[in-house]
C-alpha cells in the first residue's frame, strides 16, 4: 500500500527521499514486483532502491525494471529468509537501451498507456 501522507507514518526509519522522475524498485523479495514510477516527492521506507535516471528516460527505466531479463537478474538474490536483489549483480548486467532519448520516452509512454488501459479494464470487470 502506498501512503502519500508522511505525517501519518509512525516509523522511526529515515528512508530515502525520492523526486518525481525517480524510479523505486523493491529489492526485498524482488519476485513480489514492488516498483513505482512516482510523479510526486516522497520518502521510500524499507528495502527500496531509489533509481535516479540521468542518461535514460524514467519512463523507459520503469519499463526496463519490469522486463523478464531484469526480473531474472534481480531474483538471483542474496539471503534465504529475506532474499534481496543484489545491486552488484544487477549493475554488472548489460541491458539493451535505445540511444535516442525520444525513442526511450516513446516506449515508456506506450507502456504507461497500456498499463492504464489494463487497469481500467480490470476495474470495469470488477465492477468498480
Amino acid at each position: 500500500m502506498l501512503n502519500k501522507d508522511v505525517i501519518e507514518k509512525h516509523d522511526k526509519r529515515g528512508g530515502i527521499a525520492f523526486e518525481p522522475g525517480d524510479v523505486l524498485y523493491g529489492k526485498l523479495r524482488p519476485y513480489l514486483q514492488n516498483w513505482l514510477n512516482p510523479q510526486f516527492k516522497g520518502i521510500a521506507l524499507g528495502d527500496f532502491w531509489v533509481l535516479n535516471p540521468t542518461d535514460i528516460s524514467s519512463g523507459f527505466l520503469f519499463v526496463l525494471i519490469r522486463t523478464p531479463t531484469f526480473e531474472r537478474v534481480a531474483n538471483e538474490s542474496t539471503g534465504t529468509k529475506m532474499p534481496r536483489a543484489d545491486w552488484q549483480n544487477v549493475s554488472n548486467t548489460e541491458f539493451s537501451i535505445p540511444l535516442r532519448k525520444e525513442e526511450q520516452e516513446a516506449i515508456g509512454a506506450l507502456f504507461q498507456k497500456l498499463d492504464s488501459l489494463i487497469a481500467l479494464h480490470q476495474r470495469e470487470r470488477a465492477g468498480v
Side-chain angles (χ1 to χ4, degrees):
M1 185 169 127
L2 177 64
N3 184 347
K4 292 183 184 180
D5 192 349
V6 178
I7 294 169
E8 290 182 17
K9 290 285 187 196
H10 302 290
D11 199 309
K12 302 296 180 213
R13 296 174 291 175
I16 303 169
F18 62 85
E19 299 286 328
D22 289 345
V23 173
L24 279 60
Y25 185 84
K27 62 183 177 177
L28 177 63
R29 295 187 179 110
Y31 54 83
L32 294 176
Q33 302 177 339
N34 281 328
W35 49 58
L36 184 66
N37 188 11
Q39 302 307 308
F40 53 87
K41 289 182 178 184
I43 299 172
L45 296 176
D47 286 321
F48 282 92
W49 288 329
V50 176
L51 306 173
N52 181 282
T54 52
D55 296 328
I56 185 174
S57 154
S58 66
F60 183 82
L61 178 59
F62 190 61
V63 170
L64 178 69
I65 66 169
R66 298 181 304 165
T67 62
T69 302
F70 192 97
E71 186 174 359
R72 180 186 46 76
V73 171
N75 278 304
E76 293 172 2
S77 327
T78 59
T80 52
K81 282 187 174 183
M82 304 276 278
R84 287 175 174 76
D86 180 15
W87 180 251
Q88 280 301 116
N89 193 30
V90 171
S91 66
N92 287 323
T93 302
E94 290 187 24
F95 298 96
S96 296
I97 299 171
L99 294 177
R100 292 187 18 243
K101 197 145 188 182
E102 298 81 18
E103 187 175 355
Q104 295 172 15
E105 290 169 354
I107 292 169
L110 172 67
F111 278 87
Q112 181 180 9
K113 184 169 182 107
L114 286 172
D115 288 343
S116 296
L117 288 171
I118 290 168
L120 175 63
H121 181 69
Q122 289 172 335
R123 282 193 304 272
E124 286 174 351
R125 292 195 70 192
V128 177

